[in-house]
Amino acid sequence: MQVVSLPVRPLDKQAFAPFGDVVTTDGAELRLINQGSTGRFHDLAGIDVTDQGGRAVISLFRGQPFAPPVEIAMMERHPLGSQLFYPLSSRPFLAVVAPDEGGRPGAPLAFLCPPGAGVNYAKNAWHHPLISLEAVSDFLVIDREGPGDNLEERDYPGIRYSIDALAS
């Protein structure tokens, strides 16, 4: 079994764009509502869940913490809908994504998501399941519920990627 060290890069909107949206208030449109008493950061991510009769659901995920080394042996994708993860704690987490290579995930890319930033995985984007860091962490999740097969999982045969450190 080949083990490949996977560097971790800071979360960056442009680098993450092929896989979805970075969800942050930085640079977002701020609208004052409720007679000026509330600021609304508007339209932070493109929720895409209506294929084949799907609907958006909002859930709370509670992720158990990982510590390096983190092994990346598989990826998943959701062909019928996007999936948004926004941390409710002030802790970082990892977003690991991969380009599609003929219906399978290619070499993964790991992003360190700082506190206050989330990700919205685009429909059909390969990504690793939630990787919480430091402590048990809660996430607001918006994804799809409805008919159809909305989960594909693929292993990396003969290779394992290892995240040995959280800074690159």
Side-chain angles (χ1 to χ4, degrees):
M1 176 73 56
Q2 181 185 9
V3 177
V4 175
S5 182
L6 185 60
V8 175
R9 60 186 73 195
L11 186 63
D12 171 90
K13 286 183 179 186
Q14 186 175 11
F16 194 80
F19 310 101
D21 305 309
V22 171
V23 182
T24 181
T25 58
D26 294 341
E29 178 186 350
L30 176 61
R31 295 181 179 180
L32 293 179
I33 61 172
N34 300 331
Q35 295 144 355
S37 67
T38 303
R40 171 183 174 157
F41 293 97
H42 186 69
D43 197 19
L44 298 177
I47 305 301
D48 182 2
V49 296
T50 59
D51 282 5
Q52 295 185 21
R55 66 180 185 91
V57 293
I58 299 174
S59 304
L60 181 75
F61 284 21
R62 182 158 289 150
Q64 299 301 309
F66 286 71
V70 177
E71 183 179 280
I72 305 300
M74 60 79 70
M75 299 291 260
E76 66 180 33
R77 67 179 175 182
H78 306 284
L80 301 178
S82 60
Q83 192 176 43
L84 182 143
F85 288 83
Y86 193 83
L88 298 177
S89 67
S90 58
R91 288 184 279 281
F93 71 101
L94 287 175
V96 180
V97 294
D100 183 73
E101 292 185 358
R104 297 195 60 81
L109 302 167
F111 293 92
L112 182 61
C113 303
V119 296
N120 181 42
Y121 297 117
K123 178 172 53 178
N124 225 25
W126 289 109
H127 64 278
H128 192 275
L130 179 62
I131 303 175
S132 298
L133 299 172
E134 297 178 355
V136 173
S137 299
D138 289 343
F139 292 80
L140 179 73
V141 177
I142 302 172
D143 62 352
R144 180 189 184 279
E145 180 162 300
D149 188 5
N150 192 33
L151 175 64
E152 291 181 47
E153 295 177 333
R154 297 286 184 270
D155 291 333
Y156 283 109
I159 191 167
R160 293 294 177 265
Y161 293 92
S162 179
I163 297 171
D164 300 316
L166 296 179
S168 61

